[in-house]
């Protein structure tokens, strides 16, 4: 197991870790993306969908006014969904830059996290955003309902001008990619784990351990922060605790997707028993959602190599 770190490489927000000179270029790039993250979450949170309009249109297929009303309600929503999707691509690029910076030779993962605290913090914020986004998406069935109504309507009325105009905004190829994205139970996390896997496979000279050690070290830091009373009393509010919990779960899932044997095996550098235990001890109603993320979005939980004890803890 990775020994607990002596220092806490990144402090939970606020205050925000300031970038050193060497970190500045990547930090600025990622910052520009993270600045939008809050707005995206707010928009998703207030996403109400066009369920009512769609229902009425479907129930009255001959009523053109109702068809138009549903269409006019759905179009701006699809534009929103496109913004979310495009944001996932920017987030993917940001993650890539951070992975490059946090795994570049000659430093070990722990040294990176100590030297580049501001970047480690941004990495954590990306994961925090990702799990928050997916939690909201998962509990909002309107998203897929709106989008499939949009697609059905387009394919039914190929020749309507107004609809062709809308198609320019979300052309067929874009619509296909968006469909794949929103069909995922946890689309943002899937984007990040795909990107991490790609990063690892593209960099043949970079040992896979350099990336996975970076992730396991972050998981360890979060676990230690959650289970150590000295750190915990510095958590000024429950948001900070939730931040640590989300980041811990996020890096575990990424690790599990990227590492050949995953996070649950005996040889895993993540103390899964410790992580699950500390998660269950937190007084937060987000715990169940995070446990579900471990249950349903990891790859190796059901492998034979997973110990009975860990399985039982997640049951
Ligand atoms: C992740 O990668 C898989 C396999 O290449 C692909 O089918 C899936 O659509 C990707 N998901 C996202 C959200 O990028
Ligand atoms: C990983 O590969 C990308 C693209 O091939 C390259 O730009 C980058 O420098 C590589 N990073 C490391 C740490 O090797």
């Amino acid at each position: 197991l990775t020994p607990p770190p002596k220092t806490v490489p990144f402090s939970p927000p606020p205050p925000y870790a300031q970038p050193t000179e060497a970190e500045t270029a990547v930090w600025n790039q990622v910052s520009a993306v993270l600045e939008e993250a809050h707005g995206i979450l707010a928009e998703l949170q207030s996403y109400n969908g066009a369920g009512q309009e769609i229902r009425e249109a479907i129930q009255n297929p001959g009523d053109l006014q109702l068809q138009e009303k549903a269409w006019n309600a759905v179009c701006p929503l699809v534009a929103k969904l496109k913004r979310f999707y495009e944001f996932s691509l920017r987030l993917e690029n940001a993650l890539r830059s951070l992975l490059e910076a946090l795994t570049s030779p000659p430093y070990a993962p722990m040294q990176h996290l100590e030297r580049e605290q501001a970047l480690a913090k941004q990495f954590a914020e990306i994961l925090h955003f990702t799990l928050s986004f997916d939690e909201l998406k998962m509990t909002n069935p309107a998203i897929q309902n709106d989008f499939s109504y949009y697609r059905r309507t387009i394919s039914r009325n190929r020749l309507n001008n107004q609809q062709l105009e809308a198609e320019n905004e979300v052309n067929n190829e874009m619509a296909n990619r968006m469909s794949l994205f929103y069909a995922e139970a946890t689309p943002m996390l899937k984007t990040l784990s795909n990107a991490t896997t790609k990063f690892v496979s593209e960099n043949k000279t970079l040992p896979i351990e350099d990336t996975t050690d970076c992730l396991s070290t972050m998981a360890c830091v979060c676990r230690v922060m959650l289970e150590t009373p000295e750190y915990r009393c510095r958590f000024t509010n429950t948001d900070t605790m939730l931040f640590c919990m989300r980041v811990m779960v996020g890096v575990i899932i990424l690790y599990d997707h990227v590492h050949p044997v995953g996070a649950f095996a005996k040889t895993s550098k993540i103390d899964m028993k410790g992580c699950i235990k500390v998660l269950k001890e937190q007084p937060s109603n987000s715990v169940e959602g995070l446990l579900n993320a471990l249950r349903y979005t990891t790859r190796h939980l059901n492998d034979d190599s997973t110990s009975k004890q860990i399985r039982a803890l997640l049951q």
Side-chain angles (χ1 to χ4, degrees):
L1 292 182
T2 321
K6 284 188 240 33
T7 56
V8 180
F10 57 88
S11 53
Y16 293 95
Q18 286 305 306
T20 61
E21 209 177 313
E23 293 173 284
T24 303
V26 173
W27 192 87
N28 283 341
Q29 184 210 334
V30 177
S31 240
V33 178
L34 281 172
E35 268 165 25
E36 282 178 66
H38 193 75
I40 296 275
L41 283 185
E43 234 183 308
L44 179 58
Q45 194 143 31
S46 64
Y47 186 102
N48 286 323
Q52 172 87 21
E53 290 87 344
I54 292 175
R55 223 175 3 259
E56 282 174 0
I58 291 176
Q59 280 164 4
N60 305 282
D63 188 332
L64 288 183
Q65 228 171 350
L66 286 178
Q67 308 307 310
E68 201 174 313
K69 195 169 157 213
W71 179 254
N72 289 338
V74 159
C75 279
L77 294 171
V78 169
K80 254 186 209 188
L81 296 181
K82 184 183 172 201
R83 272 203 299 284
F84 299 161
Y85 170 70
E86 285 174 336
F87 185 73
S88 81
L89 303 179
R90 286 207 290 287
L91 199 69
E92 183 180 336
N93 284 334
L95 180 84
R96 260 193 95 79
S97 303
L98 287 178
L99 283 175
E100 259 167 43
L102 290 172
T103 56
S104 67
Y107 303 108
M110 194 64 207
Q111 286 175 304
H112 270 296
L113 293 185
E114 277 167 357
R115 294 169 58 92
E116 286 134 359
Q117 298 190 13
L119 297 187
K121 174 74 194 336
Q122 286 185 318
F123 194 118
E125 282 179 58
I126 286 182
L127 287 165
H128 177 68
F129 163 82
T130 298
L131 271 77
S132 311
F133 182 97
D134 287 348
E135 217 172 281
L136 287 171
K137 188 265 170 183
M138 232 184 297
T139 52
N140 196 337
I143 290 175
Q144 267 175 289
N145 191 36
D146 294 343
F147 196 63
S148 53
Y149 178 79
Y150 174 82
R151 299 211 77 187
R152 280 201 312 274
T153 308
I154 288 223
S155 62
R156 218 175 319 123
N157 306 317
R158 284 252 155 232
L159 294 176
N160 182 313
N161 274 339
Q162 183 193 19
Q163 284 165 8
L164 282 179
E165 252 169 59
E167 251 190 310
N168 285 338
E169 164 108 29
V170 177
N171 64 27
N172 204 39
E173 195 221 326
M174 172 60 87
N176 284 336
R177 285 193 286 144
M178 284 170 66
S179 276
L180 289 176
F181 179 77
Y182 287 109
E184 304 275 4
T186 54
M188 283 291 172
L189 197 58
K190 192 72 190 168
T191 302
L192 295 196
S193 64
N194 275 6
T196 310
T197 306
K198 204 164 135 212
F199 173 79
V200 168
S201 65
E202 274 175 9
N203 285 266
K204 295 276 184 250
T205 55
L206 184 71
I208 190 168
E209 285 75 26
D210 285 27
T211 304
T212 54
D213 284 0
C214 168
L215 299 173
S216 58
T217 306
M218 288 180 83
C220 177
V221 170
C222 291
R223 177 177 56 74
V224 170
M225 289 211 296
L226 287 167
E227 60 187 24
T228 311
E230 291 157 61
Y231 293 141
R232 210 162 37 188
C233 68
R234 294 208 321 229
F235 290 2
T236 45
N237 55 38
T238 50
D239 281 358
T240 313
M241 188 178 72
L242 193 55
F243 180 85
C244 278
M245 287 160 54
R246 286 211 177 104
V247 172
M248 184 175 79
V249 169
V251 289
I252 289 171
I253 296 167
L254 277 190
Y255 182 101
D256 194 54
H257 279 257
V258 173
H259 195 282
V261 297
F264 299 94
K266 284 193 183 64
T267 52
S268 159
K269 287 196 179 164
I270 297 181
D271 171 9
M272 282 306 301
K273 255 179 279 177
C275 288
I276 297 168
K277 274 191 187 141
V278 77
L279 200 56
K280 286 181 151 183
E281 283 163 11
Q282 304 308 311
S284 161
N285 46 21
S286 288
V287 168
E288 200 50 34
L290 291 172
L291 290 172
N292 279 340
L294 289 178
R295 287 176 189 126
Y296 305 121
T297 65
T298 47
R299 267 173 77 177
H300 295 279
L301 175 60
N302 295 319
D303 289 4
D304 292 338
S305 54
T306 302
S307 77
K308 285 202 187 75
Q309 227 177 338
I310 291 179
R311 259 181 245 241
L313 274 172
L314 276 180
Q315 222 116 72

